[in-house]
Amino acid sequence: MARTLRLAVAQSTVPEDPTDRGALRAAGQEIRALTVEAAEAGARLVQFPEGAITYPSKHVMAAGPAGELVPADWSRAAWDVMREEAESITALAGKLGLWTVFGSIHPLTPPNRPHNSLYVVSDHGQLVARYDKRFLSHTEVSYLYSPGHQPLVIEVDGIRLGFALCIEANFPEVFAEYERLDVDCVLL
């Protein structure tokens, strides 16, 4: 018997400034509206892009007085709003019975830089996993983020899913590893 998974891929507006509370709330609202649309179209899982709640511009978070790059000051980010929006998206996923995958930044204990992550929410409205981007650009690793360390595999309706972000598409070893882990599909 063939296994199937109806997947919706949604592109939302991604704010570049994690200090802009209004933009973060608007991003959350748009994600929720697109989640409803995906559920109404019969999707079983909806995937949003890297940084759907926010994908900080290096020029916002890591620009020095003369425009040079400096380590990002993450204390300025509106972490409370990002958490509230993520919790609201999670609750809606449970209400709709829709697996939901969305990107945001994940805080770590200072002075560690955050992870650039994908959050995986079950159809019961529970955060079940988080994928942290492992391969970072020079700018990301030097000024913005901490790398993740391991692949992530989850199963939805008998389909094994792996996860990757952004420039990881350029690293065959990411996909070879998922092949060894017997995944059916990599969400990128």
Side-chain angles (χ1 to χ4, degrees):
M1 174 173 246
R3 296 172 295 147
T4 62
L5 178 68
R6 188 160 191 176
L7 172 69
V9 178
Q11 177 63 59
S12 56
T13 305
V14 177
E16 294 184 345
D17 186 349
T19 69
D20 185 339
R21 301 169 81 77
L24 297 173
R25 292 207 188 281
Q29 182 177 14
E30 184 178 12
I31 291 167
R32 288 187 297 278
L34 289 167
T35 299
V36 169
E37 192 174 320
E40 289 173 348
R44 183 73 176 110
L45 183 149
V46 61
Q47 176 189 357
F48 288 90
E50 174 182 29
I53 291 179
T54 184
Y55 185 73
S57 166
K58 64 185 176 187
H59 301 291
V60 172
M61 294 308 292
E68 76 281 9
L69 289 177
V70 298
D73 176 6
W74 289 106
S75 68
R76 299 183 302 125
W79 294 109
D80 59 330
V81 176
M82 285 182 263
R83 184 183 61 254
E84 290 166 8
E85 293 304 323
E87 289 171 353
S88 182
I89 294 162
T90 299
L92 179 61
K95 179 180 175 187
L96 297 173
L98 180 65
W99 284 83
T100 304
V101 177
F102 64 94
S104 191
I105 50 179
H106 182 80
L108 300 176
T109 306
N112 298 302
R113 296 182 185 132
H115 287 306
N116 181 355
S117 303
L118 284 174
Y119 291 97
V120 181
V121 178
S122 77
D123 56 347
H124 298 290
Q126 297 179 344
L127 177 65
V128 294
R130 188 186 79 232
Y131 175 74
D132 303 320
K133 184 175 175 182
R134 297 178 286 163
F135 291 84
L136 304 176
S137 71
H138 174 74
T139 298
E140 288 173 326
V141 76
S142 298
Y143 304 105
L144 293 164
Y145 302 114
S146 294
H149 300 289
Q150 56 193 6
L152 173 64
V153 177
I154 67 159
E155 191 170 305
V156 177
D157 299 345
I159 306 289
R160 291 176 53 84
L161 302 170
F163 299 84
L165 281 169
C166 190
I167 66 168
E168 291 178 331
N170 296 311
F171 296 91
E173 57 267 36
V174 169
F175 299 93
E177 181 177 33
Y178 281 125
E179 185 174 21
R180 285 190 303 276
L181 293 170
D182 198 30
V183 304
D184 299 301
C185 176
V186 176
L187 299 181
L188 172 68

